[in-house]
Amino acid sequence: MPSTDLLLTFNTGSSTVKIGIFAIEDAKVRRIGKGMIDFRAEPLTFSITEGPKTFDTPLEAELTDDLHAVIDETFALLSQHFDIGAVRAAGHRVVHGGDRFIEATVLDDAAIDAVDALTPLAPLHQPQALRFIRALKHLKPHLTQTASFDTAFHATQTDLVRRFAIPRALHDGGIKRYGFHGLSYKFIAGEVGRRLSSKPKIVAAHLGSGASLCALEKGASRDCSMGFSTLDGIPMATRPGWLDPGVILHLQQQKKQSVDQVEDMLYHRSGLLGVSGINADSRDLLEDGSPQAREALDLFTLRIAGEIGRMSVTLGGLDAIVFTAGIGEHQPQIRTAVLQHLSWLGLAIDQRANAANGFTITTPASRITAHVIATDEEQVIAQEALSILGPG
């Protein structure tokens, strides 16, 4: 086992948690392992990857609201592969930081309470992160914990971009566009600066079960498709993206649906699943080939292309497009469909490079380039946690 200091990261989604194990070396972090728990699986299983090997271990702990037993057993399993006694801190992904948290922070009691107060703004994701933060605090009360916020990266957007056309008092009270997937976009911005420094105006597309786009100018966020909530923007696996608010009024006033019914429809029964009536996974829809499956994917790619056009207006131009996350990195058919909608911009696809998920997937003759870059949110969390800890 390594004798160097370690950092853990917890990237908590609505139904999974990804755990990163990082070694601290010369003021930088290097990933040495990873783990994942999928709370939808039965039995509950913890997967640990160390080097080229992955170990799947069923958990004996019962899944409770406080997660104490799950965290305890998870650390016991991690200790079989890594020197858990050398862990200096645990960094967490927190979806919503509101206007208070515009950079990573230490999670003391006051900060945890402030994160909890933002739960109404992210009811699907915030409670899960808080469960892990509190469970870890219970298990290891003296371990430093930090939070990295998805919304923080978008604090560079102008007030005009973040504003809705609603009464000013509501905006001043916090009802505004925040943007999400910020940890992913921060990583992509770093890679863009390193690999595409000659292209200052970029639209990055984070396409997974949750999906959004971000306008980047010289590495800073200028616009994002997600706004006040993670429901906004382009269609997703089970979320609708943009929706006329009159639809909500109609469902509640005319169809007499409850708030809970509408919320369930918005978070769990819309998007690719809702349009296709078949499946929420774009891979399965690509294989299905039915008219309903094709329509769901056509709507998905049309809205992505349309959002790229809108963000080009915010940026005042467009130099390149970057695809990332599960769909963006691994599904050439989706990228092709998006870029075909944008062929009028002078985009020309290199089909061979695209099929191979290459870095550059447009031809040399293309006026605007398109690229595939793998994202790494845990790397950002770990580096931000280390920046808070400092040397020592």
Side-chain angles (χ1 to χ4, degrees), residues 132-317:
F132 276 91
I133 291 166
R134 287 170 171 150
L136 197 53
K137 184 178 178 64
H138 174 83
L139 179 66
K140 295 186 175 294
H142 302 298
L143 181 67
T144 299
Q145 297 192 74
T146 65
S148 295
F149 298 91
D150 264 324
T151 49
F153 182 70
H154 303 297
T156 52
Q157 294 177 11
T158 66
D159 186 68
L160 181 63
V161 167
R162 301 184 74 186
R163 183 177 289 275
F164 293 116
I166 56 176
R168 298 189 71 86
L170 294 177
H171 174 87
D172 295 341
I175 300 180
K176 63 183 71 172
R177 300 178 60 84
Y178 291 99
F180 299 93
H181 291 138
L183 299 179
S184 175
Y185 291 128
K186 183 172 182 177
F187 182 85
I188 294 300
E191 289 296 290
V192 164
R194 185 172 66 86
R195 303 169 74 174
L196 296 170
S197 58
S198 63
K199 300 179 183 298
K201 297 180 179 181
I202 308 280
V203 172
H206 177 106
L207 306 179
S209 58
S212 70
L213 291 92
C214 179
L216 298 169
E217 185 174 26
K218 297 180 180 178
S221 174
R222 298 304 181 206
D223 204 341
C224 188
S225 61
M226 280 183 171
F228 177 72
S229 77
T230 58
L231 291 169
D232 200 12
I234 60 175
M236 294 165 249
T238 62
R239 287 171 267 174
W242 299 302
L243 184 66
D244 182 342
V247 173
I248 307 301
L249 297 176
H250 176 78
L251 292 175
Q252 293 187 316
Q253 295 175 349
Q254 305 303 321
K255 299 297 184 180
K256 306 303 180 185
Q257 290 191 12
S258 67
V259 171
D260 288 343
Q261 287 175 310
V262 173
E263 182 181 59
D264 178 63
M265 182 273 290
L266 292 174
Y267 277 106
H268 304 296
R269 295 191 291 110
S270 297
L272 295 177
L273 175 62
V275 177
S276 70
I278 299 169
N279 202 296
D281 193 316
S282 59
R283 293 169 296 186
D284 292 329
L285 295 177
L286 285 166
E287 292 179 2
D288 185 278
S290 67
Q292 296 93 331
R294 288 196 300 271
E295 185 174 39
L297 294 172
D298 287 346
L299 180 61
F300 181 54
T301 56
L302 176 65
R303 293 289 183 260
I304 294 168
E307 183 65 354
I308 291 171
R310 186 188 72 79
M311 289 189 173
S312 300
V313 174
T314 301
L315 291 171

Side-chain angles (χ1 to χ4, degrees), residues 9 30 101 131 144 205 215 219 243 247 272 279 314 349 370 373-374 386:
T9 62
R30 177 177 63 85
F101 298 106
R131 289 170 76 194
T144 299
L243 184 66
V247 173
L272 295 177
N279 202 296
T314 301
I349 306 171
I373 299 177
L386 181 60

Side-chain angles (χ1 to χ4, degrees), residues 4 16 36 96 126 172 191 272 274-275 280 334 340 388:
T4 187
T16 64
M36 189 182 78
H96 218 303
Q126 207 87 340
D172 295 341
E191 289 296 290
L272 295 177
V275 177
I334 299 296
Q340 284 176 339
I388 292 173

